[in-house]
Amino acid sequence: MNDKKRLSSYDDLPLVLDVADIQRIMGISRVSAYELVHTPGFPAFRRGRLIKVSKIAFFEWMAKGFETVPGSNK
């Protein structure tokens, strides 16, 4: 996804997200995005060196909520 493209709707997102997409959607730093995709229970998968996330799985994961957010002291 082009980093300069503004996110305006769910339908504008690709079916498979990468770490940069997660970073932009959540408004977090690159480091926090990588910590998040390595969090147990996060719906990421690897394709070689690339980390990918299904758009549907990501938004289902967000809808469920999560207890630990990287960088928070909860």
Side-chain angles (χ1 to χ4, degrees):
M1 180 175 244
N2 184 346
D3 287 336
K4 295 181 182 183
K5 183 178 178 186
R6 187 165 183 194
L7 298 175
S8 59
S9 77
Y10 176 85
D11 293 330
D12 289 342
L13 296 170
L15 290 175
V16 179
L17 307 172
D18 60 22
V19 176
D21 294 327
I22 300 299
Q23 176 185 348
R24 288 180 47 234
I25 291 165
M26 297 194 73
I28 58 178
S29 71
R30 182 176 181 208
V31 171
S32 292
Y34 274 100
E35 289 176 0
L36 181 62
V37 299
H38 289 99
T39 301
F42 188 81
F45 60 93
R46 286 189 169 274
R47 181 69 181 148
R49 293 182 59 202
L50 301 176
I51 299 171
K52 298 294 184 175
V53 181
S54 159
K55 174 172 76 169
I56 294 169
F58 173 71
F59 282 96
E60 286 175 353
W61 175 83
M62 282 187 45
K64 288 181 194 173
F66 42 92
E67 294 180 12
T68 305
V69 176
S72 73
N73 293 321
K74 293 184 179 182

